[in-house]
Amino acid sequence: VEFLYCDLASMKSIRQFVQQFRAKNCPLHVLVNNAGVMLVPERKTKDGFEEHFGLNYLGHFLLTNLLLDALKQSGTHSHNARIITVSSATHYVGKLHLNDLQSRCSYSPHGAYAQSKLALVLFTYRLQHLLTANGSHVTANVVDPGVVNTELYKHVFWVVKVVKWMTAWLFFKTPEEGASTTIYAAVSPEMEGAGGCYLYNEERTKSADVAYDEELQRRLWTESCKMVGISDEAIRLP
């Protein structure tokens, strides 16, 4: 195991990480997008993005796009490279505000978090569409880990923290249990060649209806490219 530092809240850090990784000339068979914050007070990343959208979504969007060449080179017809992105059931109540992705008009921690998780599902479906059209041996899937007992809840109201502390053993998954579907998506032979899936408890299930809106997927992708400064056409090249 080798550690390389990458701050998903910094576009500069992401680009530096990708340069360091590429310099090693290592294959890349699995990419798991799992960083995140939840219900943080209104604040911005180093690049001026609202933190939920910038870290949870845009950081992973840029990282994935910059690593696509390595993933394509590593995937084969019989063993596709795999991209697994961790979303949340919260995406079911999320709304994507294309005219206000930074939540500047009216900030709600819950709304911003849900929007970032919906964006990840839309991103995954659009990514798989482009990978398929490109003929790449790479698959992209999105995972709902469930309600997991981690430090992600440190910004919730204190009453919720008390309830969580009292009931976690009954209603919350352990981190190991929460990781099981991600691991399944990353290594299971059953997922070989399967992309564009929403997975929960190691099973394919239906995401929010709005996530299947191809026009919304396309518009979010185009806007995301502008925000992180990459070409909208890059993935289409052979």
Side-chain angles (χ1 to χ4, degrees):
V1 176
E2 183 176 355
F3 174 80
L4 294 177
Y5 178 80
C6 181
D7 180 358
L8 268 291
S10 166
M11 302 293 117
K12 180 180 178 181
S13 178
I14 294 169
R15 292 180 183 277
Q16 289 175 339
F17 164 79
V18 171
Q19 287 181 342
Q20 292 173 351
F21 179 80
R22 285 176 173 170
K24 293 180 176 297
N25 291 316
C26 294
L28 180 57
H29 298 109
V30 177
L31 172 64
V32 177
N33 292 319
N34 188 49
V37 293
M38 184 176 76
L39 308 184
V40 297
E42 186 173 10
R43 59 194 190 194
K44 301 183 184 300
T45 67
K46 296 175 182 177
D47 302 285
F49 300 120
E50 186 278 316
E51 190 167 12
H52 289 100
F53 195 77
L55 195 161
N56 293 5
Y57 170 66
L58 283 179
H60 291 122
F61 179 86
L62 177 61
L63 178 68
T64 302
N65 272 280
L66 295 181
L67 290 174
L68 276 176
D69 284 345
L71 286 157
K72 290 178 184 179
Q73 292 167 9
S74 303
T76 66
H77 178 73
S78 57
H79 291 89
N80 281 231
R82 304 185 187 189
I83 301 167
I84 299 93
T85 297
V86 180
S87 182
S88 163
T90 311
H91 91 274
Y92 286 105
V93 297
K95 294 182 179 179
L96 194 76
H97 303 285
L98 278 171
N99 295 324
D100 187 26
L101 292 172
Q102 304 300 319
S103 303
R104 293 191 178 101
C105 294
S106 177
Y107 182 76
S108 160
H110 294 83
Y113 176 69
Q115 176 180 244
S116 71
K117 291 301 180 179
L118 173 59
L120 289 170
V121 183
L122 289 159
F123 156 66
T124 299
Y125 292 164
R126 179 61 179 172
L127 176 59
Q128 183 59 57
H129 171 78
L130 295 173
L131 288 168
T132 300
N134 193 242
S136 303
H137 298 307
V138 183
T139 59
N141 292 297
V142 61
V143 165
D144 174 4
V147 183
V148 187
N149 188 12
T150 69
E151 290 298 310
L152 193 62
Y153 296 85
K154 64 183 179 181
H155 292 288
V156 300
F157 191 55
W158 70 268
V159 174
V160 179
K161 289 183 180 179
V162 172
V163 173
K164 173 180 175 290
W165 177 76
M166 295 174 61
T167 62
W169 65 275
L170 182 61
F171 298 111
F172 284 62
K173 294 181 178 181
T174 66
E176 290 78 13
E177 292 169 338
S180 65
T181 302
T182 298
I183 295 171
Y184 172 80
V187 301
S188 172
E190 296 176 15
M191 293 302 297
E192 178 56 47
C197 302
Y198 185 86
L199 302 169
Y200 177 64
N201 284 345
E202 301 182 15
E203 293 184 356
R204 305 180 199 189
T205 187
K206 189 174 182 294
S207 62
D209 289 340
V210 68
Y212 299 102
D213 185 332
E214 294 184 0
E215 177 62 16
L216 189 61
Q217 295 168 16
R218 185 192 64 77
R219 291 177 65 191
L220 174 62
W221 184 281
T222 299
E223 186 62 27
S224 301
C225 287
K226 294 177 182 177
M227 295 173 81
V228 302
I230 61 175
S231 170
D232 190 18
E233 301 295 321
I235 193 175
R236 304 172 194 272
L237 300 175

